[in-house]
Amino acid sequence: MRFLFEKLPENIDFDPENEGYYAINEPSFLKLCLMAIPVILISMFIIGLMLKIRLGTHYHMRMIDSFQDLVIFLAIILIHEMLHVIVFLDKISSGDIFIGTYRGAIYATYLRDIKKERFLLVLILPFIVLTVIPVLFLMISTINYSLLSKIAIINMVLSSLDVLSFYGILTKIPANAKIRNKNSRSYWKL
């Protein structure tokens, strides 16, 4: 695994057209971000409502109001990206796995083929582990743990693009397809 502070690595060994891959019809990054806004608002409303019901009407959460919250936010980003990485086929030490940031976007990418089902797991695992499980735990437990609710909501914002990508891959790509990335584009073949 390598860390980058630049755009996605160029996969020069991969020539999708000559290798029989089809481009996935994906929106631009800007359009995807705009599409994520309703996902974020609806999800935060639903999660917030569930937490209000469970934790009481006196419950109020501030996203980031202290240095400690900023550290928590950065830790959630790192854990979120590592959850993507652990599902890739290679070991974490692989040179084909990258975590990076570029122009405010944070990414984890893998330069080899990955089956559709595993790719879907890569996309959704951080959402399940850092949003769904904490909310379910808060809903069924008697513990009023504000840190878990903060983790769930912050990660929901971080997972919004993943959720949209999950839906797109699930609905547009046939079962048993292999998916591979080149720069910011994704390709598939059977």
Side-chain angles (χ1 to χ4, degrees):
M1 177 174 60
R2 296 183 237 170
F3 293 93
L4 298 175
F5 295 97
E6 58 190 54
K7 61 183 178 179
L8 289 161
E10 191 171 331
N11 194 350
I12 56 175
D13 298 334
F14 177 47
D15 185 6
E17 289 81 22
N18 290 331
E19 295 180 33
Y21 284 81
Y22 301 96
I24 297 173
N25 185 11
E26 300 171 293
S28 69
F29 182 71
L30 178 61
K31 188 173 181 182
L32 198 60
C33 289
L34 292 174
M35 291 167 59
I37 292 171
V39 172
I40 291 169
L41 294 175
I42 292 167
S43 302
M44 289 180 74
F45 175 76
I46 292 168
I47 292 169
L49 183 63
M50 290 171 67
L51 293 173
K52 279 275 192 193
I53 290 169
R54 168 61 188 89
L55 301 174
T57 55
H58 65 282
Y59 171 76
H60 298 284
M61 188 187 87
R62 295 185 186 109
M63 290 297 284
I64 298 178
D65 62 351
S66 69
F67 180 74
Q68 178 185 6
D69 289 342
L70 182 60
V71 171
I72 291 167
F73 177 72
L74 295 174
I76 292 169
I77 290 172
L78 182 60
I79 294 166
H80 176 105
E81 296 306 323
M82 290 306 293
L83 286 168
H84 285 308
V85 166
I86 63 170
V87 185
F88 291 136
L89 297 169
D90 280 344
K91 295 179 183 176
I92 289 178
S93 61
S94 169
D96 292 325
I97 297 173
F98 293 87
I99 292 181
T101 181
Y102 182 66
R103 294 184 180 171
I106 300 160
Y107 62 85
T109 191
Y110 181 59
L111 298 183
R112 300 286 170 218
D113 284 343
I114 188 166
K115 286 194 170 200
K116 174 187 174 181
E117 293 73 21
R118 185 173 288 267
F119 194 79
L120 290 171
L121 182 60
V122 166
L123 289 171
I124 208 68
L125 186 65
F127 173 70
I128 291 169
V129 171
L130 295 174
T131 299
V132 173
I133 291 173
V135 168
L136 290 176
F137 177 79
L138 287 168
M139 296 302 290
I140 62 173
S141 74
T142 58
I143 298 172
N144 182 354
Y145 201 51
S146 64
L147 178 61
L148 277 182
S149 61
K150 191 172 288 199
I151 288 170
I153 291 178
I154 289 172
N155 188 70
M156 182 59 240
V157 173
L158 295 173
S159 295
S160 60
L161 295 177
D162 296 333
V163 169
L164 284 171
S165 296
F166 179 89
Y167 176 76
I169 297 295
L170 184 67
T171 59
K172 294 178 184 177
I173 307 301
N176 299 317
K178 292 188 271 185
I179 298 170
R180 192 165 185 185
N181 295 323
K182 184 171 181 80
N183 301 329
S184 62
R185 298 289 319 258
S186 298
Y187 299 86
W188 68 272
K189 79 173 183 177
L190 290 172

